[in-house]
Amino acid sequence: MKSIAYQKPGQFEETRYEKIHNVVFPNDREGSLAVAREIADLIRQKQAEGKPAVLGLATGSSPIKVYDELVRMYREEGLSFRNVITFNLDEYYPMDPEDVNSYHYFMHQYLFDHIDIKPENIHIPDGTVPMEKMTEYCLSYEQQIKDAGGLDFQLLGIGRSGHIGFNEPGSHINSGTRLITLSHITRVDAAPSFFGLNNVPRKAITMGISTIMQARRIVLLAWSKKKSDIIKKTVEGEMTSDVPATYLQKHPNTTFVLDEEAASKLTRIDTPWLVKDVEWDNMMSKKAVVWLSEKTKLPILKLTDNEYNQNHLADLIAHKGSVYDLNIEIFNEIQHTITGWPGGKPGADDTYRPERANPPQKRVLIFSPHPDDDVISMGGTLDRLVEQGHDVHVAYQVAGYNAVSDEEALKYLEVNQLTGFSSEEMTQLFYELQEKNRAVDSPALKKLKSSIRRAEAISALRFLGVPLVNIHFLDLPFYDAPEVHKRKISSLDVEIMENIIKLVQPHQIFAAGDLADPHGTHQLSYELLIKALENLKEEPFYQDLYVWLYRGAWDEFEVHEIEMAVPMSPDQVLKKRHAIFYHQSQKDLVMYKGDDIREFWMRAEDRNKELARKYDSLGLAEYEAMEAFKRLKI
């Protein structure tokens, strides 16, 4: 059954590339609420029939908001789980159930401890089973699912390798519950929770593909841009063991629930003119022309009727009237995004410039979620703003201690470069840094790691010429939640953001518009900015405020989205690299590197050079590198 009003998007023509039904929601919260309602409807239906509801459950960050909503329904709407039987997908091996990284711990923390489910109805793979009994145990897990009547509903996430459960690439469609060796990319993704890759288990117990496929209903969740590539491969690609999630193409009742970013590379969303008629507004026209230029490897001004007609864009020309006029229009729009004056050029005609000429010296407030996002994402632009005489302030939103490795902290402690700790604290810190299996850092260790990041940030900004008095460490309280998935913004967080904005009264704000960081700090920082700005609309300075968004180390804006592009000379690229190097704790022992082996300065430099290459390929001026921004309309 499909109790959610999951509608296929438009006509069949729109989805002719797609082999799995999917629904796109504006964000993960709305998608999670819809899935929670479907699960609740199933539970209530089974209750009315006097039958158990048998649920297959997933862990990880994707289903957390689903579980939050189910807990709310239990508390506020009387949803009972007395008739629910659950089977979890997987568990690390070996893994003690009480370990904070175990899925047993996860499920009780986020769901089971907050509802009225019977303990005997909870089934989670046992990470302590002796190896010699593993085969017998896995067969018994399968039998328990059959004895319960089979899975009515299976909730899934998806790994960037395409794994579901822990069914890694190469898994067979007929595989059952078994012990499996984890792929490197899966272990890398898990490394932050385990305080480093070396601490991540190499094996796991997982339901097999065959077990999952026998569920009567499957819903897979995927959020954020980092899942967009694997979603496209899974939904539109060929079925293959290289991407185990593609086996779901054979399941008769599967829905992928996606947010807009996870769905962004599906053909009907990324290049909709290939599958349907589109409304040719300015943004869609620009996107299509840039796409055509990149596809044909021709500069915009060299595109002809032939290229448009052969690539399903004849309708665009019919709408615009002339290839020549369209090419000139889009070329000029993109050219006007380029400026070496990110604070506006004094005494110049700013009709076609992204920033105002007046006032000639602006108060600028740069929000940096972590104490290095500023120089990584916009170090060249920051340098320009300082050199051009603007009053530049930088506000670091969180302390960033989670990203400092134990090895880096131990190094600083050993050379006694930081002060403010008593001898008792020093002894305790040395002891704690040797403890590899601790759940969380102590307040003293957080203080040490925060101090490291604070000192690095000050050094980098001093190098770029930002006065010490203009450096602000907000230490927003949401970051101090005991577990990253439990972070929630509060009125105090909003108040701190409002106060710094009111203090500076900026003409410009630069802030992270990148939501793809591993633990959601950027997303919460962005949400806080929006809330603070909403509360400040009546302030006199608000009417003169421009807000510019930058992307972090994980992604870049598409060319058609960019509204300001700041070019950098070779010397400025080196200066930006030098500023990033001041963040030594994030250079060699970086905690949240993901599957990209490059250091952050390399990623930033490569990304800036690639953007310059894209502008050049479109027929625009050739630069060494560029940083990109999109204006937030407030």
Side-chain angles (χ1 to χ4, degrees):
M1 83 175 197
K2 295 181 185 176
S3 62
I4 302 179
Y6 286 142
Q7 299 295 322
K8 287 201 180 257
Q11 302 299 313
F12 173 76
E13 181 68 14
E14 292 182 29
T15 59
R16 62 190 171 94
Y17 289 92
E18 298 176 10
K19 300 166 184 176
I20 299 177
H21 174 236
N22 61 87
V23 182
V24 182
F25 289 86
N27 52 61
D28 61 343
R29 174 163 178 76
E30 291 190 31
S32 296
L33 293 180
V35 174
R37 284 193 294 270
E38 176 174 354
I39 294 172
D41 288 346
L42 171 64
I43 292 170
R44 292 185 177 115
Q45 175 192 324
K46 291 290 186 176
Q47 285 171 346
E49 297 171 356
K51 298 177 181 178
V54 185
L55 307 180
L57 299 180
T59 52
S61 60
S62 296
I64 286 176
K65 288 186 175 67
V66 175
Y67 298 151
D68 285 346
E69 178 62 8
L70 290 173
V71 170
R72 188 201 65 78
M73 289 179 173
Y74 166 72
R75 290 174 174 168
E76 300 178 13
E77 298 180 7
L79 176 65
S80 176
F81 291 79
R82 300 291 290 177
N83 72 317
V84 173
I85 300 173
T86 66
F87 291 89
N88 262 75
L89 277 167
D90 42 30
E91 178 60 282
Y92 290 110
Y93 184 86
M95 180 61 67
D96 189 287
E98 301 307 313
D99 190 303
V100 294
N101 290 308
S102 76
Y103 288 158
H104 181 279
Y105 183 93
F106 177 99
M107 290 306 304
H108 281 80
Q109 181 187 34
Y110 289 107
L111 184 62
F112 297 149
D113 286 351
H114 312 289
I115 57 177
D116 63 342
I117 189 169
K118 297 176 182 178
E120 61 268 27
N121 286 352
I122 297 171
H123 303 85
I124 303 172
D126 184 356
T128 67
V129 174
M131 184 63 76
E132 63 271 16
K133 295 185 178 180
M134 183 60 67
T135 300
E136 178 185 349
Y137 174 78
C138 291
L139 290 173
S140 71
Y141 200 76
E142 294 272 336
Q143 190 59 49
Q144 288 179 83
I145 295 173
K146 293 175 183 175
D147 291 346
L151 298 171
D152 293 308
F153 181 101
Q154 177 64 63
L155 188 65
L156 296 175
I158 184 170
R160 289 182 299 127
S161 65
H163 71 249
I164 48 177
F166 274 135
N167 291 283
E168 299 284 18
S171 295
H172 196 277
I173 193 170
N174 293 326
S175 59
T177 300
R178 67 202 187 283
L179 185 68
I180 193 167
T181 299
L182 300 177
S183 70
H184 178 71
I185 187 173
T186 298
R187 295 181 65 243
V188 165
D189 284 347
S193 298
F194 285 86
F195 292 95
L197 180 62
N198 290 337
N199 301 321
V200 181
R202 296 182 178 275
K203 296 183 181 295
I205 302 171
T206 184
M207 279 190 201
I209 300 292
S210 175
T211 320
I212 292 169
M213 294 288 284
Q214 290 175 47
R216 287 179 277 279
R217 168 76 168 138
I218 297 174
V219 172
L220 184 146
L221 311 174
W223 320 126
S224 84
K225 192 73 170 284
K226 66 184 178 182
K227 296 293 179 70
S228 59
D229 285 326
I230 196 62
I231 287 299
K232 181 177 176 64
K233 286 181 183 178
T234 302
V235 172
E236 298 185 358
E238 295 302 315
M239 193 172 70
T240 170
S241 64
D242 292 338
V243 183
T246 57
Y247 289 133
L248 297 174
Q249 293 174 9
K250 295 190 69 168
H251 192 273
N253 191 14
T254 289
T255 296
F256 281 23
V257 177
L258 315 171
D259 66 2
E260 291 178 349
E261 291 207 335
S264 62
K265 293 188 179 178
L266 294 177
T267 300
R268 65 181 165 90
I269 294 171
D270 188 32
T271 51
W273 49 85
L274 297 179
V275 293
K276 64 176 180 179
D277 293 334
V278 301
E279 183 177 340
W280 292 111
D281 58 16
N282 177 264
M283 183 61 74
M284 187 66 75
S285 300
K286 189 190 302 185
K287 182 177 184 179
V289 172
V290 170
W291 171 82
L292 182 61
S293 175
E294 291 177 343
K295 185 174 188 293
T296 60
K297 294 182 171 52
L298 290 172
I300 290 174
L301 295 180
K302 287 189 176 182
L303 295 171
T304 67
D305 292 83
N306 190 49
E307 281 79 42
Y308 282 90
N309 290 334
Q310 288 184 352
N311 290 281
H312 306 275
L313 289 172
D315 184 56
L316 173 58
I317 300 308
H319 178 76
K320 291 293 185 178
S322 161
V323 167
Y324 177 82
D325 290 340
L326 174 62
N327 290 348
I328 289 289
E329 175 189 336
I330 301 303
F331 180 88
N332 285 340
E333 276 196 34
I334 298 174
Q335 186 177 51
H336 292 153
T337 66
I338 304 172
T339 180
W341 298 82
K345 187 173 183 179
D349 178 5
D350 59 13
T351 305
Y352 299 110
R353 290 181 176 274
E355 253 296 353
R356 307 145 290 172
N358 294 309
Q361 273 71 48
K362 294 181 174 65
R363 290 184 301 277
V364 181
L365 177 56
I366 298 170
F367 282 112
S368 179
H370 300 93
D372 60 353
D373 288 309
D374 54 339
V375 290
I376 289 173
S377 300
M378 55 169 294
T381 302
L382 196 164
D383 183 47
R384 283 278 175 86
L385 290 165
V386 172
E387 285 187 346
Q388 292 167 2
H390 300 287
D391 181 21
V392 178
H393 293 250
V394 180
Y396 297 104
Q397 290 169 278
V398 306
Y401 49 75
N402 280 335
V404 178
S405 70
D406 288 354
E407 292 90 338
E408 192 72 17
L410 188 59
K411 180 184 76 175
Y412 275 81
L413 197 60
E414 286 171 337
V415 299
N416 197 27
Q417 291 182 338
L418 299 172
T419 60
F421 294 97
S422 67
S423 58
E424 292 81 7
E425 284 180 315
M426 295 280 282
T427 301
Q428 179 59 38
L429 284 168
F430 273 114
Y431 175 79
E432 185 176 355
L433 286 166
Q434 312 302 322
E435 172 97 39
K436 294 302 183 185
N437 295 321
R438 66 181 184 276
V440 294
D441 289 346
S442 69
L445 185 51
K446 289 180 180 179
K447 176 184 173 184
L448 170 64
K449 293 182 175 181
S450 298
S451 299
I452 292 169
R453 300 217 65 182
R454 187 173 293 217
E456 291 172 342
I458 291 172
S459 297
L461 291 184
R462 173 181 48 76
F463 170 70
L464 293 176
V466 178
L468 183 61
V469 70
N470 285 9
I471 303 174
H472 312 273
F473 295 94
L474 304 185
D475 292 335
L476 293 174
F478 80 79
Y479 191 73
D480 290 323
E483 308 210 11
V484 293
H485 297 311
K486 287 199 167 186
R487 289 176 180 164
K488 290 186 172 64
I489 56 180
S490 68
S491 58
L492 180 56
D493 291 299
V494 179
E495 182 182 347
I496 293 171
M497 289 285 288
E498 288 179 28
N499 287 342
I500 187 62
I501 295 172
K502 286 191 287 188
L503 175 68
V504 177
Q505 298 190 21
H507 301 96
Q508 287 183 313
I509 284 177
F510 289 85
D514 170 351
L515 310 183
D517 68 303
H519 279 163
T521 306
H522 285 219
Q523 180 171 350
L524 293 175
S525 298
Y526 175 79
E527 290 175 9
L528 275 170
L529 174 65
I530 300 302
K531 288 179 182 290
L533 291 174
E534 183 68 28
N535 293 342
L536 294 173
K537 281 188 173 180
E538 302 306 317
E539 294 289 331
F541 65 83
Y542 188 89
Q543 303 307 316
D544 295 324
L545 176 62
Y546 277 24
V547 178
W548 293 100
L549 300 178
Y550 59 80
R551 283 284 171 93
W554 311 96
D555 201 9
E556 181 59 277
F557 291 118
E558 300 293 336
V559 170
H560 69 275
E561 299 175 305
I562 295 170
E563 294 177 83
M564 180 161 67
V566 181
M568 292 187 287
S569 68
D571 286 346
Q572 205 160 32
V573 170
L574 291 176
K575 191 173 182 181
K576 172 175 176 173
R577 184 194 300 177
H578 192 165
I580 296 173
F581 280 0
Y582 277 99
H583 295 272
Q584 182 62 44
S585 70
Q586 304 303 295
K587 185 177 182 300
D588 300 316
L589 296 172
V590 60
M591 294 284 287
Y592 304 133
K593 208 172 207 178
D595 64 333
D596 192 330
I597 64 171
R598 295 173 300 167
E599 295 180 16
F600 282 126
W601 72 268
M602 295 177 182
R603 298 188 204 188
E605 210 164 285
D606 289 349
R607 189 185 73 184
N608 296 157
K609 290 182 177 182
E610 173 61 15
L611 181 60
R613 185 205 63 76
K614 285 185 177 180
Y615 266 68
D616 179 36
S617 70
L618 295 174
L620 295 139
E622 182 178 359
Y623 295 100
E624 178 71 9
M626 304 177 88
E627 293 176 337
F629 303 88
K630 180 179 178 180
R631 189 176 166 198
L632 176 66
K633 306 304 190 290
I634 57 173

